[in-house]
């Protein structure tokens, strides 16, 4: 999955962004300040930086400059109407900006757009004969489009984004809770996993993609 480095010192904003981006099949990591952001740029090679210019530790502009030097695209967050910050950030090499307060879908659109322009977008993921196009929200099996609902796709995206990791039922509920206005409880989760398997598995009774780890949860390898 494409890593997105969030440079933000407000834990509440970081938590909300992480949850949202994971649900859109992106892999967020977070840094609270300039020094940590530069260290993570070199350690995890993110595909894009999302930078709050107002940091308690260091300077968001310096992070923009460091990202440019490493060839990593970036989007910075700025206060509405702060023209000077917009001009300075773009002059330092940032690829785009978005004013606060922003709408999540608009932010996601800008992230996808910058990743496409930079050639870093990784939209299609293969799970055996199943192909998951994260950008288009389309799932195909042996070339045939599968009719997944929005919540089924979001559930599959969580699995794909956490490929190889054990996901407990509580973790899955946290990730898709009230997604798109749909109420999700433990019984509903069971139904959606069953429906998802019926659509993507050759043999839903013996799944090879969404595997059950008995007594613990689920995993997609």
């Amino acid at each position: 999955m494409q890593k997105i480095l969030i440079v933000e010192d407000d834990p509440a904003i970081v938590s909300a962004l992480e949850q949202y981006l994971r649900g859109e099949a992106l892999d967020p990591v977070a840094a609270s300040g300039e020094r940590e952001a530069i260290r993570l740029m070199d350690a995890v090679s993110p595909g894009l930086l999302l930078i709050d210019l107002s940091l308690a530790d260091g300077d968001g502009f310096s992070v923009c400059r460091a990202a440019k030097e490493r060839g990593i695209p970036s989007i910075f967050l700025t206060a509405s109407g702060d023209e000077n910050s917009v001009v300075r950030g773009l002059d330092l090499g940032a690829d785009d900006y978005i004013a606060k307060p922003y709408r999540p879908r608009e932010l996601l659109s800008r992230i996808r757009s910058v990743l496409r322009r930079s050639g870093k977008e990784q939209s299609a993921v293969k799970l055996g004969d199943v192909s998951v196009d994260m950008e288009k929200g389309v799932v195909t099996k042996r070339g045939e489009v599968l009719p997944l609902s929005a919540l089924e796709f979001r559930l599959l995206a969580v699995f794909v984004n956490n490929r190889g990791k054990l996901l407990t039922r509580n973790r899955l509920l946290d990730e898709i809770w009230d997604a798109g206005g749909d109420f999700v409880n433990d019984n509903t989760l069971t139904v959606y996993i069953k429906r998802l398997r019926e659509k993507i598995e050759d043999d839903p009774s013996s799944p090879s993609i969404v595997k059950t780890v008995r007594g613990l949860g689920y995993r997609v390898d």
Side-chain angles (χ1 to χ4, degrees), residues 144-210:
E144 181 179 348
V145 176
L146 300 179
L148 268 62
S149 69
L151 201 147
E152 287 165 354
F153 181 83
R154 194 170 288 111
L155 177 60
L156 181 58
V158 173
F159 280 122
V160 169
N161 191 50
N162 292 277
R163 198 167 181 175
K165 299 178 183 178
L166 171 68
L167 296 177
T168 65
R169 293 180 66 85
N170 284 339
R171 170 71 183 278
L172 289 171
L173 285 169
D174 286 343
E175 293 285 358
I176 65 173
W177 178 265
D178 201 27
D182 297 308
F183 180 75
V184 182
N185 59 25
D186 194 66
N187 291 333
T188 307
L189 178 61
T190 299
V191 171
Y192 274 101
I193 288 176
K194 180 176 182 292
R195 289 178 180 173
L196 180 61
R197 281 172 165 167
E198 288 172 346
K199 293 179 180 179
I200 68 173
E201 302 280 1
D202 287 334
D203 182 2
S205 64
S206 181
S208 61
I209 298 175
V210 180

